Amino acid sequence: MKVAIIGSGGREHAIFWKLSQSKLVEKVFVLPGNGGTQNNVDIDTNDFEQILHFCRHNTIELLFVGPEDPLANGIVDYFEDTPVLVFGPEKRAALLESSKIWSKKFMQKYGVATADFWEFDNTAESFEKIDELDGNCVIKYDGLAAGKGVFVCSSKAEAKNAVAEISKKYGEKSSFLIEEKLVGKELSLLAFTDGKNYQLLLPSQDHKQLLDDDKGPNTGGMGAFCPVPFYDENLKLQIEKEIIIPTMQGISNENFNYKGVLYFGVMITEDGPKLLEYNVRLGDPETEVVLPSLKSDFAELILACFDGSLKNYQMKFSKNYFVDVVLASGGYPHKYEKNYEIKGLQNVNESTLLFHAGTKKNDDKILTNGGRVLNVVSKGETLQKAIENVYVECEKIKFTDVYFRKDIGKRK
Ligand code: AMP
Ligand code: GLY
């Protein structure tokens, strides 16, 4: 089978790596890919006409959609009458990620445990609510914002500034939410689904903030690890009961065409697990640790979502822990330079995985080409060992102004 992947980040390199190992897969293309992926094809991720043309011309049977945009723009619907299997939800179901308000209403309708929320498109009214909550709340822009539309606030001034920022950026009449602020530990759970059944990958944790101790501005993710030591069978059952099973009931009731991944961002609060958000795709950088921990044949798992065999699919996992440290360009997530040569890539040890993100090939050199440049992923029999291993490897890779967090996986 020939497969094409849409996207160009570390997530897509990890998908490329995993699919390339499948006994069912003959060739994997990446549209447009990066300096680490092979068989790159320079097509825009939202140019559906070109993508379809490419798939027809190259007899692609399976199209794996990495990022959320093409899903929110309806790529699954666009390919409906073609023989290509597109892995992802239809446009209607992608609203679970692309509209925060729609998604909260879905959670409410189906009894999914989540934070209380209030909906606004008017600054004055929202200020009354902010005063009532004494500024202790979370403000979320309704639409897709690449992780930059969420403001976790601790004071009235901070919350009102967040509302002002949303109005400035997205227009005065833009819709947003105010949410009850939850406290607890977070984890990411990724489910493969056929629209009725699901199979879970191992739990992981992202590190969204730029600086150690979860300080500084939010980023696309500075690292991840998996599995999460505090996740046990009891917690799994609770999350399934309170969050995943009601969600699947909703997806089934709404009759969504959903053969893809559903991501649950969960907070474990004193009152039990609550859902922070859905994403309708694999997370980045979570994918860079959860795919290495998956021992099953990846193409087989994906095809199980289409052929009715997912329900009884037996997932197989590694016993190791995996840690991913993101090497970023100095200055990211603000202004940064590109085109520095990355050196030392050949010095990492055999068991370390390098998933490229913002890189490009230039003759036989690899150059920086984005804010998050490279994911360095190591394993270990314990989380501690995996952390030690990954930091030894990070030191071997050099480029001008490289920056990475020193505390990935060390959260208490
Ligand atoms: P989201 O994109 O909705 O997951 O929000 C991004 C991040 O903001 C989450 O990973 C949490 O760390 C934080 N967050 C979102 N909603 C809440 C909430 N209701 N209470 C506390 N933190 C939140
Ligand atoms: N790691 C969070 C996300 O992919 O949205």
Side-chain angles (χ1 to χ4, degrees):
M1 177 171 71
K2 288 191 202 156
V3 183
I5 301 166
I6 296 182
S8 61
R11 167 180 53 208
E12 285 74 23
H13 190 183
I15 297 167
F16 173 83
W17 166 82
K18 189 74 186 159
L19 276 173
S20 300
Q21 295 164 30
S22 168
K23 59 181 188 303
L24 304 172
V25 173
E26 180 188 330
K27 186 161 184 181
V28 189
F29 295 91
V30 194
L31 288 51
N34 61 37
T37 53
Q38 284 144 34
N39 309 321
N40 292 351
V41 186
D42 193 16
I43 297 180
D44 185 274
T45 54
N46 283 299
D47 189 343
F48 299 166
E49 203 182 318
Q50 280 288 326
I51 296 172
L52 178 56
H53 179 77
F54 172 82
C55 289
R56 286 219 163 106
H57 202 73
N58 292 280
T59 55
I60 300 294
E61 287 178 58
L62 174 68
L63 183 60
F64 193 113
V65 188
E68 59 275 23
D69 284 35
L71 295 167
N73 292 334
I75 192 164
V76 171
D77 313 62
Y78 190 88
F79 274 73
E80 200 182 338
D81 297 323
T82 76
V84 185
L85 301 175
V86 185
F87 192 62
E90 65 173 318
K91 184 171 182 169
R92 241 168 16 116
L95 279 169
L96 288 170
E97 174 168 1
S98 61
S99 167
K100 298 255 185 218
I101 293 176
W102 193 90
S103 130
K104 286 297 269 191
K105 287 184 173 160
F106 176 94
M107 295 176 209
Q108 195 175 43
K109 182 171 172 188
Y110 291 104
V112 176
T114 189
D116 284 343
F117 68 101
W118 302 270
E119 186 186 335
F120 297 95
D121 56 10
N122 171 308
T123 308
E125 274 177 31
S126 75
F127 281 12
E128 282 175 31
K129 187 51 113 190
I130 289 171
D131 288 337
E132 198 184 307
L133 296 168
D134 206 21
N136 246 316
C137 60
V138 181
I139 315 271
K140 295 186 179 179
Y141 170 60
D142 183 39
L144 286 180
K148 296 180 183 85
V150 176
F151 304 82
V152 182
C153 306
S154 305
S155 71
K156 289 182 198 172
E158 211 181 332
K160 288 177 186 175
N161 274 339
V163 170
E165 199 163 312
I166 288 172
S167 303
K168 201 171 112 201
K169 217 161 153 189
Y170 305 105
E172 261 176 44
K173 281 271 144 225
S174 51
S175 304
F176 59 95
L177 286 172
I178 297 185
E179 269 185 36
E180 169 199 9
K181 185 160 114 181
L182 302 174
V183 181
K185 291 183 179 178
E186 278 187 62
L187 57 81
S188 308
L189 267 179
L190 305 171
F192 278 70
T193 184
D194 56 10
K196 300 250 180 317
N197 308 288
Y198 66 91
Q199 294 289 350
L200 293 174
L201 296 181
L202 293 183
S204 56
Q205 258 190 26
D206 184 4
H207 294 64
K208 289 193 171 82
Q209 279 152 311
L210 181 71
L211 306 175
D212 285 11
D213 296 325
D214 297 327
K215 301 220 163 64
N218 262 329
T219 70
M222 296 303 295
F225 67 91
C226 126
V228 176
F230 66 78
Y231 179 90
D232 56 16
E233 192 57 25
N234 195 23
L235 181 57
K236 175 173 183 252
L237 289 175
Q238 227 182 333
I239 295 174
E240 289 188 294
K241 176 164 172 272
E242 306 282 338
I243 296 172
I244 301 178
I245 293 169
T247 298
M248 289 313 305
Q249 189 62 50
I251 287 177
S252 171
N253 274 20
E254 302 285 334
N255 217 3
F256 287 152
N257 174 13
Y258 201 137
K259 290 157 180 62
V261 174
L262 185 55
Y263 167 124
F264 299 86
V266 181
M267 177 92 84
I268 315 302
T269 74
E270 275 187 353
D271 300 329
K274 305 243 171 130
L275 185 66
L276 296 171
E277 65 161 345
Y278 296 115
N279 291 324
V280 296
R281 50 167 174 88
L282 287 170
D284 194 350
E286 289 93 334
T287 304
E288 289 89 314
V289 286
V290 296
L291 288 190
S293 79
L294 177 71
K295 280 173 86 181
S296 314
D297 183 301
F298 196 37
E300 187 184 77
L301 170 60
I302 295 165
L303 291 178
C305 298
F306 290 96
D307 68 13
S309 64
L310 186 71
K311 188 172 184 201
N312 297 316
Y313 191 84
Q314 293 292 322
M315 303 286 277
K316 290 190 216 101
F317 298 109
S318 161
K319 290 204 163 52
N320 285 299
Y321 284 81
F322 291 83
V323 177
D324 170 20
V325 175
V326 172
L327 307 187
S329 298
Y332 172 79
H334 308 299
K335 202 174 164 305
Y336 57 85
E337 299 292 326
K338 294 184 189 174
N339 294 313
Y340 292 126
E341 187 181 349
I342 307 173
K343 294 188 177 151
L345 293 170
Q346 69 288 354
N347 297 340
V348 299
N349 72 18
E350 259 176 26
S351 64
T352 294
L353 296 162
L354 295 176
F355 294 129
H356 292 224
T359 73
K360 66 175 177 200
K361 255 199 189 122
N362 192 342
D363 297 328
D364 53 354
K365 291 183 176 151
I366 300 284
L367 306 181
T368 65
N369 189 38
R372 291 191 301 154
V373 175
L374 203 63
N375 298 268
V376 183
V377 182
S378 297
K379 64 180 175 188
E381 283 171 10
T382 62
L383 181 56
Q384 188 52 37
K385 196 77 199 129
I387 295 169
E388 283 165 22
N389 291 343
V390 79
Y391 280 109
V392 170
E393 300 306 303
C394 287
E395 293 298 340
K396 295 179 182 172
I397 299 167
K398 309 279 181 206
F399 56 88
T400 305
D401 295 338
V402 56
Y403 167 77
F404 55 91
R405 270 180 69 159
K406 307 291 184 295
D407 67 340
I408 302 299
K410 294 183 190 167
R411 232 178 237 141
K412 288 286 166 279

